[in-house]
Amino acid sequence: PGSFGRFHQLITLDLPVGVDRETIAGVVGPVIDRHDMLRSRLYSADGDWLVETAAPGSVDVDALIDHIVFDGAVTGDELNAIASAAVDSALDKLDPADGVVVRFVWLDPDTADRHGHLVVIAHHLAIDGVSWRVLVPDLVLSAVARSAGQTPELPAPVTSMRTWAHALERNAHSPERLAELEYWRTVAGTAEPLLTERGLDPAVDTESVVEVHAVQVSPEVTQALLTTVPALFHGGVNDGLLTALVLATAAWRARRVPGAPLDDPLLIRLEGHGREEEVVPGADLSRTVGWFTALFPVRFEPAGIDIEAALSGGTEMGAALKLVKEQLLAVPDKGVGYGLLRYMNSETAADFPQIMPGQVNFNYLGRVGAGEIPEEMHGFGWLPTADLEVDVHHDADMPAMALLDINAIVAGDALTARIGYPATQLSADEAAEFGELWVQALEAVARHAESAEAGGFTPSDFPLVTLSQRDIETIEQRFQWPVADMWPLTSLQAGMLFHAQLAAESVDVYTAHALLTLTGRVDADRLRSAAQALVDRYENLRTAFVTDGEGNSVQVVLSEVRVDWSEYDRTATGNADDLIEADRLRRFDLTEPRLIRFTLIKTGPDLWRFMVSNHHIVLDGWSMPLLMQDLLALYAVRADRTALPAARSYRHFLDWLSRQDHDASLATWREALAGVSEPTLVSSPGSSNGASAREIEALSGEYTFGMDAAATARLTRLAAELGVTANTVLQVAWAILLGRITSREDVVFGATVSGRPPQLSGVETMVGLFINTIPVRVRF
């Protein structure tokens, strides 16, 4: 029911002084020709609504301009009234069925020394709020080109509205989108008590009875909501705004609905910009004009939150912010699926209610301004005006959007919101009561952001691991330095951690050491600064290994860690063997983040011993030369990390691992090891004195041997003749030896591989533990 011919968006622009009708038409014409939806029409055929666009150059632009001359001395409310009357008349001329979706009201002063205004009015069918960020710069570019006597050349959209619409229809039938159906059924089925005596009646509760209650918060509160809260809680602006809205709505509902628990689930309908390009691979909507808005219900469950305490701005507000943030992020694809399954898939449409559930509608429009316009173009006019307000309405019989329709925007330095409500449902005092509650909640969010306990991560911040909110907060409180990320362990890391825990009171064989001799002049402070910069450069040098509440291991990356550095002066004796041996035997505590340490020992006037020790769980042999290269480079540039190329994080490797087909890998290894029932052991599990072999009491020794040049040549020649690597020949020889020692014809032994997948970009320069030990089976 109801009409929608006046359903529009508009913007008011300042025009250059002395502009004429021909110039206006010459500027807006190329913009209309560039953007298809400004030449569109909406019509119905066989029960379906269709959009058709006319060809560029087919629109009579001059006929779309309404020229209003006004007294040049008029300002303020009087000018606003003139503009509003003219725009109101122009709205009646919009006709999407006939292809009239844009009109222009030219407000022209009768004095030559004052600039005029242009009100650009577009039917909502053709435009959304984001589109103005495309159209206003295009109008400026067109004006600049015309003033220079050139033909405007406006960049073309990469993805057209037509391409986007057809892609969405295909997406609405995709298996991935259909998998959301149960989620949306649950959301739409939320039982929510009415906030008024009756539900909205589209024939009674219409635009003609919609009143507006405006609210505003201070610049200080606005700043906290826009910057401080998102930074502290690692989220977006909507997290704080919606947390306040959820708390205010719950409190308002408790006042209006006797017996309604404060923490019962509630629905809020959200408007998003809908330009979710990832939904259509390869799409780029940055230059596309059209109506992309997504409207969808979100189910918020404030269970466990003391709402009254949260409204005071205490620690409960932090818990509420984290909860709302997670519930927002749980909405698949930012809500676009609701509309796709409801309106673009006839097979799933019946699963949804006719009218979208939810009594509160919220839309955050962002910050207004002319930020997309280059500074050098600000003198050409055609920019949004700040001193003209147009007050017009949609069609009188158009159904009201919601019981409470909230549109928030940041203009200047203050957040303001217009709360629309049908006067047939709510009184002005009732709407003001809600507005006051929301402002109170917004101020409480800002107040909490100033407290010492504010901030923290939530599970969605760590997508590679599965952690509860309690796990995260326990880990955050454990360390003196802030947490930056949390990662899973690779299989070899998990094995090393297990062995380290098993050998808690004995020797950890996975401690690695590099001992260097330095000669000449060494600046110890400079070298220490380089080591600190090295730790700052690589995240996995700032990790610790802990367990969550269920005993699962996770590596925690800290944002900063003070380098583990020791210095000694042994110039008196020239001997540092005791210090070196003590360092070799000193264990690392894997639950603490400093798993690499540096020891500098001066043994003579120009002689130094420099030891770098680390636990193998953070570095492999491939990584150590890379690390030492960076350390020397940082020493040379006095610890200036910006002088080195950006380091590619070990996290990329862990993310790549998480996306592999583990079931297929398991099936491959199950087939390769079929029939193997026990390990190939070359000695008894127990030691000669009967002690358990699980405990290592000394570092392992090494037996070194080599092949002469002739034997090596014969080995490489054999490998070449067989078309295999020399490593394969060595492994076969090792397998034969194992077979003789154990009297077996089927042996399995471990082989170390680099573990660096060639398909992962930059893997050859990454630092971390990539190696793996895999079983090699040889049967004779």
Side-chain angles (χ1 to χ4, degrees):
S3 309
F4 55 86
R6 292 166 57 95
F7 188 40
H8 71 282
Q9 290 213 337
L10 61 80
I11 193 169
T12 58
L13 307 174
D14 286 334
L15 291 173
V17 174
V19 73
D20 57 25
R21 188 184 190 97
E22 181 183 358
T23 298
I24 293 174
V27 169
V28 303
V31 178
I32 291 175
D33 287 343
R34 168 53 69 203
H35 299 290
D36 294 340
M37 290 305 293
L38 300 184
R39 308 185 309 276
S40 63
R41 76 181 186 98
L42 176 71
Y43 66 97
S44 178
D46 299 325
D48 291 328
W49 288 99
L50 303 174
V51 174
E52 181 181 81
T53 58
S58 63
V59 175
D60 182 358
V61 177
D62 185 78
L64 301 177
I65 302 173
D66 294 331
H67 185 199
I68 308 297
V69 179
F70 67 91
D71 184 346
V74 168
T75 59
D77 291 342
E78 193 173 355
L79 180 57
N80 292 340
I82 293 172
S84 297
V87 172
D88 188 70
S89 175
L91 282 174
D92 288 332
K93 300 174 186 176
L94 287 179
D95 187 357
D98 197 37
V100 182
V101 293
V102 62
R103 291 197 66 86
F104 307 91
V105 173
W106 172 26
L107 299 170
D108 186 18
D110 61 6
T111 56
D113 59 348
R114 179 178 177 180
H115 68 77
H117 304 282
L118 187 71
V119 184
V120 184
I121 310 159
H123 197 280
H124 215 331
L125 163 73
I127 196 173
D128 58 14
V130 177
S131 295
W132 295 119
R133 301 177 190 174
V134 179
L135 291 178
V136 173
D138 275 7
L139 288 168
V140 174
L141 287 172
S142 182
V144 170
R146 182 175 177 83
S147 68
Q150 301 172 351
T151 301
E153 295 184 5
L154 305 178
V158 177
T159 302
S160 68
M161 191 67 180
R162 181 182 188 278
T163 298
W164 178 255
H166 284 285
L168 287 187
E169 185 177 35
R170 292 190 296 272
N171 184 274
H173 294 81
S174 68
E176 295 79 11
R177 194 62 60 199
L178 292 173
E180 295 179 13
L181 190 56
E182 188 56 38
Y183 171 86
W184 290 116
R185 281 200 196 107
T186 301
V187 172
T190 300
E192 191 180 37
L194 289 175
L195 297 172
T196 50
E197 293 183 358
R198 61 173 177 81
L200 289 182
D201 184 337
V204 176
D205 305 311
T206 61
E207 281 290 319
S208 63
V209 298
V210 170
E211 303 290 344
V212 174
H213 176 73
V215 297
Q216 180 171 314
V217 297
S218 70
E220 293 75 21
V221 170
T222 300
Q223 184 69 12
L225 293 168
L226 296 187
T227 60
T228 309
V229 172
L232 285 172
F233 290 89
H234 312 282
V237 175
N238 259 352
D239 296 338
L241 300 181
L242 283 166
T243 297
L245 185 58
V246 168
L247 296 175
T249 304
W252 195 60
R253 179 178 64 182
R255 296 180 185 181
R256 300 182 62 83
V257 183
L262 268 172
D263 60 357
D264 261 9
L266 57 87
L267 293 179
I268 292 178
R269 292 194 283 182
L270 293 188
E271 284 192 52
H273 58 68
R275 296 171 180 252
E276 310 304 339
E277 295 171 344
E278 62 274 10
V279 172
V280 179
D284 180 352
L285 302 175
S286 59
R287 287 275 309 153
T288 310
V289 168
W291 191 13
F292 293 86
T293 305
L295 182 62
F296 53 94
V298 179
R299 175 187 169 109
F300 291 101
E301 301 182 49
I305 301 296
D306 185 333
I307 290 177
E308 293 298 338
L311 287 171
S312 71
T315 55
E316 280 294 295
M317 178 59 81
L321 279 162
K322 293 175 180 178
L323 189 68
V324 168
K325 171 191 167 184
E326 285 299 295
Q327 291 176 1
L328 268 177
L329 290 171
V331 178
D333 269 345
K334 300 180 182 177
V336 298
Y338 186 91
L340 295 179
L341 295 171
R342 168 66 180 84
Y343 298 105
M344 301 191 77
N345 186 331
S346 58
E347 297 174 0
T348 58
D351 289 271
F352 295 82
Q354 282 292 107
I355 299 176
M356 184 180 296
Q359 302 169 77
V360 179
N361 197 81
F362 180 75
N363 184 17
Y364 173 59
L365 299 168
R367 185 190 289 270
V368 296
E372 292 82 5
I373 310 297
E375 187 65 33
E376 62 270 18
M377 295 186 179
H378 279 217
F380 287 89
W382 298 89
L383 295 178
T385 182
D387 56 1
L388 185 64
E389 295 182 7
V390 177
D391 184 17
V392 291
H393 301 280
H394 300 317
D395 304 80
D397 61 344
M398 184 175 174
M401 187 73 175
L403 178 66
L404 294 168
D405 184 23
I406 306 167
N407 286 277
I409 193 168
V410 176
D413 58 1
L415 173 74
T416 62
R418 292 170 57 86
I419 305 174
Y421 63 94
T424 46
Q425 290 274 15
L426 294 172
S427 68
D429 288 342
E430 289 173 313
E433 178 188 31
F434 174 82
E436 183 180 342
L437 273 172
W438 189 38
V439 169
Q440 176 190 341
L442 289 169
E443 291 173 344
V445 170
R447 192 162 56 252
H448 174 73
E450 300 301 321
S451 65
E453 65 270 15
F457 290 100
T458 59
S460 61
D461 293 316
F462 308 121
L464 298 183
V465 293
T466 301
L467 294 169
S468 69
Q469 187 62 51
R470 176 174 292 184
D471 288 333
I472 292 171
E473 291 171 357
T474 299
I475 292 171
E476 286 177 319
Q477 294 164 9
R478 178 172 184 158
F479 299 102
Q480 67 179 101
W481 295 288
V483 170
D485 206 350
M486 298 194 200
W487 299 340
L489 278 65
T490 65
S491 57
L492 193 59
Q493 282 182 313
M496 287 183 179
L497 179 61
F498 170 75
H499 283 290
Q501 292 169 335
L502 198 64
E505 303 301 325
S506 56
V507 176
D508 187 348
V509 297
Y510 293 111
T511 301
H513 309 273
L515 182 62
L516 288 77
T517 299
L518 307 179
T519 59
R521 182 180 176 183
V522 175
D523 186 332
D525 290 338
R526 184 170 168 180
L527 187 56
R528 178 175 184 165
S529 296
Q532 180 65 65
L534 191 72
V535 171
D536 295 341
R537 175 172 167 80
Y538 291 106
E539 296 161 301
N540 40 334
L541 300 185
R542 306 190 304 272
T543 55
F545 294 79
V546 300
T547 54
D548 62 17
E550 296 182 355
N552 301 308
S553 298
V554 59
Q555 50 183 320
V556 182
V557 182
L558 302 184
S559 61
E560 57 182 278
V561 170
R562 187 173 63 254
V563 66
D564 189 343
W565 177 271
S566 300
E567 284 182 42
Y568 300 94
D569 188 340
R570 286 294 180 85
T571 53
T573 64
N575 189 300
D577 291 348
D578 59 326
L579 295 175
I580 294 170
E581 183 62 20
D583 187 84
R584 280 170 50 82
L585 296 175
R586 179 181 158 200
R587 294 175 56 91
F588 283 98
D589 181 356
L590 299 188
T591 64
E592 293 299 322
R594 302 198 295 179
L595 300 181
I596 185 170
R597 59 177 178 257
F598 303 85
T599 304
L600 181 64
I601 310 168
K602 186 174 184 179
T603 57
D606 297 308
L607 190 62
W608 310 72
R609 306 302 299 277
F610 184 48
M611 177 172 280
V612 181
S613 302
N614 67 274
H615 199 282
H616 208 350
I617 201 169
V618 295
L619 294 172
D620 57 18
W622 184 313
S623 300
M624 186 53 74
L626 299 173
L627 212 62
M628 298 308 295
Q629 175 181 303
D630 281 357
L631 179 64
L632 294 176
L634 288 165
Y635 180 80
V637 298
R638 297 185 180 275
D640 181 7
R641 287 189 292 138
T642 63
L644 274 63
R648 190 154 169 78
S649 174
Y650 186 61
R651 187 185 192 280
H652 292 293
F653 172 64
L654 297 173
D655 178 58
W656 177 86
L657 274 182
S658 70
R659 290 183 279 106
Q660 303 313 298
D661 190 337
H662 293 281
D663 290 339
S665 179
L666 185 62
T668 298
W669 285 111
R670 184 181 291 117
E671 180 182 354
L673 299 175
V676 175
S677 59
E678 60 181 0
T680 302
L681 299 176
V682 296
S683 66
S684 171
S687 63
S688 58
N689 61 7
S692 172
R694 293 184 177 182
E695 187 169 291
I696 300 174
E697 299 176 346
L699 293 174
S700 59
E702 292 183 352
Y703 173 69
T704 304
F705 69 96
M707 298 172 62
D708 60 30
T712 302
R714 289 197 302 274
L715 185 147
T716 54
R717 186 165 58 251
L718 173 63
E721 291 172 356
L722 296 175
V724 298
T725 64
N727 184 50
T728 300
V729 175
L730 289 173
Q731 288 185 349
V732 170
W734 179 248
I736 293 171
L737 176 62
L738 287 178
R740 288 180 177 176
I741 293 173
T742 61
S743 301
R744 289 171 176 252
E745 296 180 345
D746 186 350
V747 297
V748 179
F749 59 91
T752 302
V753 293
S754 74
R756 294 177 181 250
Q759 60 268 47
L760 182 60
S761 175
V763 72
E764 69 281 357
T765 61
M766 288 186 190
V767 166
L769 182 68
F770 294 85
I771 63 168
N772 199 8
T773 301
I774 62 171
V776 177
R777 183 181 188 181
V778 179
R779 285 172 283 191
F780 310 105

